[in-house]
Amino acid sequence: MQSKSARTSRARTPRGRLHPAQVVTAGFAVAILIGTGLLMLPIASPGPGGVSFLVAVFTATSAICVTGLVTVDTATAWSTFGQVVILLLIQIGGFGIMTFASVIGLAVVRKMSLRSRITTASEAGSLGLEDVRGLILGVVRISLIVELIVAVLLSLRFLIGYGEPLGRAVWLGVFHSVSSFNNAGFGLFSDSLISYATDPFICLPVAAAIIIGGLGFPVIMQLRKHLRAPLQWTMNTRIVLVGTIALLVLGTVYITAVEWSNPATLGPLDWPSKLLVGFFQAVQTRTAGFNSIDVGSMDSASLLGMDVMMLIGGGPAGTAGGIKITTFAVLFFIMLTEIRGEVAVNVFGKRLSRAVHRQAITIVLLAVAVITVSTVALMLLTDFSLDQLLFEVISAFGTVGMSTGITASMPVAGQVILMLLMFIGRLGPIAFASALALRERRTTYELPKERPIIG
């Protein structure tokens, strides 16, 4: 005889109906296919005949997964139409496919079905269904406001500071604003932002958009409501803010110190410019992907440090990737609790749920497994060094988009691996966390406990 919980579980998930995580995954896959088709059109590229399927699908995957890795130069390989398609894919990918679909649904029918709310909550990492509509509207409002402000600042700088024609200046401002807020890293300059490395009027607005986008929409909306009332901040908001500040400070100090005398990067610059470039590169490790120095010329120690920061990433339910600051913080506090000999894991005056322990450990172990397998596979397929391949793999998985310059030289199999990494990196943590939360089952018995020897 079935238990009540089993009957309830079956009633909630009818046979033949996809799990919300599966719906999200399918949505991103369909968006990539549509983007690929548009980028393969002859009008999408300046040359005759259009681009190959591999170039189109790689670019579409990178754009919809807000990564920024490319096999062709975005500035020269695509026409204005192609660049507009890439920009739209970035914006849709930053919103999230289900969030974007919900925006369209709200605009047309002005209501959401229960299943749409469940799916959108799964994608956005929302804790409940009652706040989904507000979350969606907040995501749209915040995105457009930040992108508009940064676009105006960049457009004015390109227009006044560099003498770009008005139309060109506005297009550069809009494209880089959307790309930076969505942590995508796509740029319309062949050298990314190296030509503007010492210009704070370009680098700082871009960095600000990246930081704001990387906080995550729940944090941004809570700060907007309770900026002057920190006692009302949730544990998630406090962890993200403290972690963000710590990573930015440590990243800036680390990169600047290691690269200070490197003649190929910071060596020729004066000290204010070194600090600006060091800070800008530390911001990019939050999964943005722009670069104001040649990443391929950076010291191996810098690359390793950036690997760690790229893996951690930004805040959850935002445009950043990685395992997320909250996941890393949970593991850190678990370790700290064990070292202190305490029982409960307490974070900022609150006790951490044991279910969160399991989710964080699962996500990290899966991430390490995916990165390890992918790196070994690329080592077997290519002749690039471990430093380069590990950096490329973590950059793809963390949806960062920075590269040492080896992406275009990858064999077909290598590029397929990178596409899978971008796809998993954009969806994996969300899909895994939602699947773990929705797959919880109640049992009427417990097995006897036994402890293996640890350490």
Side-chain angles (χ1 to χ4, degrees):
M1 183 174 179
Q2 285 185 324
S3 66
K4 182 178 179 181
S5 61
R7 292 195 302 269
T8 303
S9 176
R10 179 168 295 183
R12 289 178 179 174
T13 310
R15 182 173 298 180
R17 180 170 290 183
L18 293 177
H19 186 282
Q22 295 174 320
V23 176
V24 174
T25 302
F28 270 87
V30 170
I32 290 172
L33 291 178
I34 294 174
T36 301
L38 292 174
L39 291 177
M40 290 184 68
L41 295 175
I43 193 177
S45 58
V51 300
S52 67
F53 172 78
L54 182 61
V55 170
V57 71
F58 191 96
T59 304
T61 302
S62 184
I64 205 72
C65 296
V66 291
T67 304
L69 286 177
V70 293
T71 56
V72 294
D73 182 10
T74 307
T76 59
W78 304 106
S79 64
T80 301
F81 175 83
Q83 293 172 357
V84 170
V85 170
I86 292 172
L87 188 67
L88 291 176
L89 292 175
I90 291 171
Q91 187 71 83
I92 293 172
F95 278 155
I97 300 299
M98 294 304 108
T99 303
F100 178 76
S102 298
V103 170
I104 301 299
L106 286 173
V108 176
V109 301
R110 300 188 179 279
K111 63 181 181 179
M112 294 177 65
S113 67
L114 176 60
R115 183 155 186 83
S116 295
R117 290 164 63 191
I118 293 174
T119 307
T120 305
S122 172
E123 178 187 58
S126 177
L127 296 177
L129 298 181
E130 67 281 350
D131 62 340
V132 171
R133 181 188 175 95
L135 176 62
I136 292 171
L137 296 177
V139 166
V140 175
R141 190 180 299 113
I142 291 168
S143 298
L144 295 181
I145 290 175
V146 174
E147 289 171 355
L148 177 61
I149 294 173
V150 176
V152 170
L153 294 175
L154 293 178
S155 299
L156 290 175
R157 183 56 178 168
F158 286 124
L159 177 66
I160 300 173
Y162 296 94
E164 295 282 359
L166 178 60
R168 170 71 174 171
V170 171
W171 175 233
L172 290 174
V174 170
F175 190 96
H176 289 90
S177 173
V178 173
S179 182
S180 57
F181 177 75
N182 289 286
N183 281 223
F186 279 87
L188 296 181
F189 302 105
S190 299
D191 62 351
S192 190
L193 293 178
I194 292 178
S195 298
Y196 306 95
T198 58
D199 187 348
F201 297 101
I202 296 292
C203 293
L204 292 182
V206 169
I210 293 168
I211 293 172
I212 294 173
L215 290 176
F217 293 111
V219 173
I220 298 173
M221 287 188 283
Q222 186 169 63
L223 290 178
R224 189 183 65 175
K225 293 181 180 179
H226 306 294
L227 180 61
R228 298 183 180 180
L231 293 179
Q232 299 185 36
W233 294 353
T234 63
M235 180 191 295
N236 179 77
T237 297
R238 297 183 183 188
I239 290 176
V240 171
L241 289 178
V242 173
T244 296
I245 295 172
L247 287 175
L248 288 176
V249 172
L250 293 175
T252 300
V253 172
Y254 183 83
I255 293 173
T256 305
V258 175
E259 297 294 326
W260 188 271
S261 301
N262 187 341
T265 55
L266 300 186
L269 304 177
D270 56 25
W271 72 265
S273 298
K274 290 181 179 180
L275 292 178
L276 175 61
V277 174
F279 169 73
F280 188 78
Q281 288 305 130
V283 172
Q284 304 317 303
T285 60
R286 297 183 50 74
T287 77
F290 292 106
N291 61 285
S292 57
I293 54 176
D294 182 10
V295 176
S297 300
M298 296 181 74
D299 191 275
S300 295
S302 295
L303 296 180
L304 183 58
M306 292 166 71
D307 286 341
V308 175
M309 290 184 284
M310 290 191 299
L311 180 60
I312 296 174
T319 59
I323 62 172
K324 304 296 188 285
I325 291 176
T326 46
T327 303
F328 178 80
V330 166
L331 294 183
F332 173 79
F333 283 111
I334 290 175
M335 177 192 70
L336 198 61
T337 300
E338 191 65 27
I339 291 175
R340 290 175 175 176
E342 299 173 351
V343 178
V345 179
N346 301 315
V347 181
F348 297 122
K350 298 289 183 65
R351 182 169 57 86
L352 202 63
S353 169
R354 290 190 179 276
V356 177
H357 301 190
R358 299 193 302 269
Q359 291 175 0
I361 293 171
T362 301
I363 289 174
V364 170
L365 290 179
L366 287 171
V368 170
V370 169
I371 290 171
T372 302
V373 171
S374 301
T375 303
V376 171
L378 290 179
M379 291 178 70
L380 296 174
L381 291 170
T382 70
D383 295 325
F384 297 115
S385 68
L386 176 60
D387 286 345
Q388 293 174 307
L389 292 176
L390 183 61
F391 189 89
E392 195 85 3
V393 166
I394 295 179
S395 179
F397 177 79
T399 67
V400 181
M402 283 194 290
S403 173
T404 56
I406 66 174
T407 310
S409 302
M410 286 280 181
V412 174
Q415 293 184 18
V416 171
I417 290 174
L418 293 179
M419 284 189 283
L420 290 174
L421 284 168
M422 289 187 283
F423 193 81
I424 294 171
R426 182 68 178 95
L427 301 175
I430 298 174
F432 291 145
S434 62
L436 288 170
L438 296 176
R439 209 163 34 190
E440 184 177 350
R441 297 179 178 178
R442 295 181 180 180
T443 58
T444 57
Y445 63 91
E446 289 187 358
L447 297 175
K449 291 182 179 180
E450 185 174 349
R451 294 185 61 179
I453 299 173
I454 302 297

